[in-house]
Amino acid sequence: MKQIHFLGQQTVNLISGLGRAVIMLTSALMHRPNVRKGLPLLLTQLYAVGVQSLIIILVSGTFIGMVLALQGYTILVGYGAEASLGPMVALSLLRELGPVVSALLFAGRAGSALTAEIGLMKATEQLSSLEMMAVDPLRRVIAPRFWAGFISLPLLAAIFSMVGILGAHLVGVDWLGVDGGTFWSVMQAQVDFQGDILNGVIKSLFFAFVVTWIAVYKGYSCDPTSEGISRATTATVVQSSLVVLGLDFILTALMFAG
Amino acid sequence: MPKTLVDIQNITFKRDERVIYDDISLSIPKGKVTAIMGPSGIGKTTLLRLIGGQLKPQSGKILFDGQNIPGLSRNALYETRKRMSMLFQSGALFSDMSVYENIAFPMREHSQLSETLIEKMVLMKLEAVGLRGARHLKPSELSGGMARRAALARAIALDPELILYDEPFAGQDPISMGVIVRLIRSLADALGLTSVVVSHDVPEVMSIADYIYIIAEKKIIGHGTPEQINRQTSPLVRQFINGDSDGPVPFHFNAAPYREELIGTGAGK
């Protein structure tokens, strides 16, 4: 009986939390944009959320591309198929690893920072003081951060895939001796713009939406204490990562299983 | 009799099942300093949040210049808030902005003033709180007292009709305390601003308030001018005014008998 009560309580909490998150996001985004005030805020957040995530994306993308090339080469060369190294790396990155790994890294780097920042603003009454100054914190604080995350992540995922392919070229062509012309030309022939690149971008947009939404909501709804902020930051990273992986399976099934 | 700016009528406010206010009423006259006093934890800050519309009572009305705050739409509430401001206990300065930017913020949000004019107004506000020289500092570089004074400069940036002060004297050094006491009084006298001061610092409140409400046990237990409060004989009011550690408000939080807890024969925790 206790278990049923607990399960029911958890379900009610989940649904009411989801409802509050939807109301928060719609209240933050459903208003007439004010370019004069909104653009500087958006640019500041694009720098904080996007530009400052570049280093981890560049380094991770390069190493993942290099490892993919090394692993791929050792398997493909056994079948005399090392010419397929280029498309193998490119398709892995564009369809899966680019969007997914960059979303996971983004949740850890930018998502946690967004939650902690908004949570701390709540704990130090900065959000309350905005309300009392007749400035809506949803529009002033939440909206620019949400849009910055939504714009940044697809761009970061594209950069991740690009440097990954360059890393694979470095290992496959410059180190292991795969022919450079073959590497690029087979890749060009095998990779489809709509089927591979565009689907990867669509995945990124979905991931950007959910990761940033979770991050801003967790910060906005956290308990305004040091423990509450810590719990919210952890929840952002864990929940974002799980949602990204689950959503990736659904999107992959819809895009590529047919 | 001065006109009433805020009229609180029979409000009851609960947090979960805990009753904070049980059917209380009070009036805040225009252009006067009204103090709300009472022991810690009885919900004095909650009253300010109710007046500001950040919380809604379960029943009763909170009229600000005739408008019922809990009944206002979101847009109407934000319009009404432009006529009031609040000094938070923590200061609540925006940590990513300098002192200057903090004070210019409400002006930039709610007026079409030129940057030249905003600069002059910010300097005037900072001069009033003695922090003109600290305008380039970030809130993290200010002492607690300086942060409260900077927050006060921001609270008066747009010359609101009503200022809500949440524990303005708590933890202040004598200089900041003097500046804030003088400013609260002179803002009311010179500009006719209505002030609501929530505090438990008896001497400071007695020195500046025109009218005092004392709240305890979910009710208003006493009210009047400082002189009338000083003459009240209610044991609750006397205990609070005299600062007695024990009395109708017990020193100890509800607990099992001390002797039983120590020798281990009681009900335990």
Side-chain angles (χ1 to χ4, degrees):
Chain A
M1 195 64 192
K2 258 186 179 174
Q3 283 85 349
I4 294 170
H5 180 263
F6 177 76
L7 197 68
Q9 191 64 50
Q10 291 298 310
T11 311
V12 169
N13 288 348
L14 182 74
I15 293 169
S16 63
L18 198 61
R20 282 196 297 273
V22 170
I23 291 169
M24 183 210 71
L25 194 66
T26 46
S27 305
L29 304 183
M30 296 298 168
H31 59 90
R32 203 172 33 169
N34 182 335
V35 177
R36 187 177 67 86
K37 284 179 186 167
L39 192 61
L41 292 172
L42 178 62
L43 290 176
T44 307
Q45 291 308 317
L46 279 173
Y47 177 79
V49 169
V51 177
Q52 293 196 327
S53 301
L54 260 179
I55 292 291
I56 191 169
I57 291 291
L58 288 171
V59 173
S60 307
T62 308
F63 276 104
I64 284 179
M66 287 163 69
V67 169
L68 270 179
L70 205 52
Q71 292 279 16
Y73 180 83
T74 54
I75 296 166
L76 293 172
V77 78
Y79 303 98
E82 64 269 27
S84 297
L85 186 66
M88 189 217 79
V89 170
L91 290 175
S92 306
L93 284 166
L94 291 168
R95 286 180 172 196
E96 286 300 328
L97 292 174
V100 173
V101 177
S102 43
L104 296 176
L105 292 170
F106 185 81
R109 216 295 309 172
S112 58
L114 283 175
T115 303
E117 186 191 15
I118 296 168
L120 206 58
M121 288 178 83
K122 187 176 181 182
T124 54
E125 297 183 306
Q126 292 180 49
L127 297 184
S128 283
S129 74
L130 277 172
E131 280 182 3
M132 286 305 296
M133 273 188 258
V135 177
D136 189 349
L138 291 176
R139 296 181 188 180
R140 170 86 199 184
V141 175
I142 303 297
R145 283 164 177 78
F146 176 81
W147 286 123
F150 187 66
I151 295 167
S152 297
L153 182 50
L155 295 173
L156 291 169
I159 292 168
F160 184 98
S161 297
M162 186 187 76
V163 295
I165 292 169
L166 292 177
H169 182 272
L170 192 71
V171 169
V173 176
D174 298 333
W175 180 24
L176 299 171
V178 174
D179 179 63
T182 311
F183 182 88
W184 291 118
S185 62
V186 179
M187 187 194 298
Q188 203 175 348
Q190 297 277 316
V191 175
D192 178 50
F193 177 76
Q194 192 172 342
D196 302 317
I197 297 175
L198 208 57
N199 277 338
V201 172
I202 292 169
K203 274 187 176 183
S204 276
L205 287 169
F206 273 96
F207 297 158
F209 186 89
V210 290
V211 170
T212 321
W213 186 16
I214 289 171
V216 293
Y217 175 68
K218 288 289 170 193
Y220 191 71
S221 64
C222 74
D223 288 336
T225 60
S226 48
E227 194 194 2
I229 296 169
S230 154
R231 266 203 311 268
T233 310
T234 309
T236 290
V237 177
V238 173
Q239 291 181 14
S240 299
S241 303
L242 294 176
V243 170
V244 163
L245 294 171
L247 198 58
D248 181 51
F249 177 76
I250 295 168
L251 291 171
T252 304
L254 290 172
M255 289 169 173
F256 302 107
Chain B
M1 187 73 185
K3 199 184 158 201
T4 298
L5 184 64
V6 180
D7 197 7
I8 295 175
Q9 299 175 352
N10 309 103
I11 59 160
T12 296
F13 179 73
K14 293 180 193 169
R15 242 192 204 117
D16 299 324
E17 289 307 305
R18 190 173 151 235
V19 179
I20 309 290
Y21 293 123
D22 184 13
D23 193 26
I24 66 163
S25 299
L26 59 94
S27 300
I28 292 158
K30 213 169 197 171
K32 301 288 179 190
V33 178
T34 305
I36 314 287
M37 298 174 81
S40 293
I42 52 104
K44 298 190 295 296
T45 304
T46 302
L47 188 65
L48 297 187
R49 291 187 185 275
L50 285 163
I51 296 171
Q54 291 188 308
L55 296 172
K56 283 190 179 185
Q58 273 71 30
S59 64
K61 285 183 174 177
I62 300 168
L63 300 175
F64 174 79
D65 207 12
Q67 292 177 295
N68 185 24
I69 295 281
L72 291 177
S73 68
R74 188 181 174 82
N75 285 344
L77 179 62
Y78 272 80
E79 276 306 308
T80 307
R81 280 184 185 153
K82 288 179 187 173
R83 299 168 58 193
M84 55 173 86
S85 78
M86 183 162 168
L87 176 67
F88 286 83
Q89 192 172 352
S90 62
L93 293 168
F94 302 128
S95 48
D96 58 335
M97 296 180 191
S98 67
V99 168
Y100 178 94
E101 296 291 323
N102 261 285
I103 293 149
F105 179 80
M107 300 178 191
R108 287 177 179 148
E109 283 293 321
H110 295 309
S111 75
Q112 302 294 322
L113 299 174
S114 68
E115 276 303 312
T116 321
L117 201 53
I118 286 176
E119 186 185 352
K120 289 189 191 332
M121 284 177 64
V122 171
L123 292 180
M124 284 161 65
K125 305 294 177 190
L126 282 172
E127 177 70 12
V129 296
L131 290 178
R132 193 163 43 82
R135 61 183 178 272
H136 300 304
L137 298 180
K138 283 284 178 86
S140 59
E141 297 171 285
L142 301 177
S143 68
M146 288 165 81
R148 196 81 59 89
R149 282 150 62 191
L152 179 55
R154 188 179 66 179
I156 57 173
L158 289 175
D159 299 331
E161 291 170 50
L162 170 71
I163 307 188
L164 308 167
Y165 298 91
D166 185 10
E167 299 285 2
F169 315 117
Q172 295 298 296
D173 62 83
I175 297 172
S176 292
M177 179 90 88
V179 169
I180 291 171
V181 167
R182 180 176 50 79
L183 265 170
I184 294 174
R185 191 62 257 175
S186 60
L187 283 168
D189 293 339
L191 302 174
L193 297 189
T194 307
S195 305
V196 180
V197 182
V198 153
S199 177
H200 48 221
D201 293 284
V202 177
E204 285 73 26
V205 170
M206 289 289 198
S207 72
I208 56 163
D210 294 304
Y211 205 81
I212 297 171
Y213 288 92
I214 301 180
I215 300 178
E217 297 178 340
K218 305 159 201 167
K219 298 273 188 192
I220 293 170
I221 56 161
H223 60 97
T225 61
E227 295 74 29
Q228 288 168 337
I229 291 285
N230 266 328
R231 286 199 299 272
Q232 291 208 4
T233 52
S234 151
L236 259 174
V237 174
R238 294 304 335 149
Q239 184 194 358
F240 185 72
I241 297 297
N242 297 334
D244 299 334
S245 63
D246 223 341
V249 178
F251 171 68
H252 292 287
F253 196 78
N254 282 344
Y258 188 41
R259 185 183 165 83
E260 282 182 16
E261 288 234 45
L262 283 185
I263 60 175
T265 56
K269 292 172 216 176

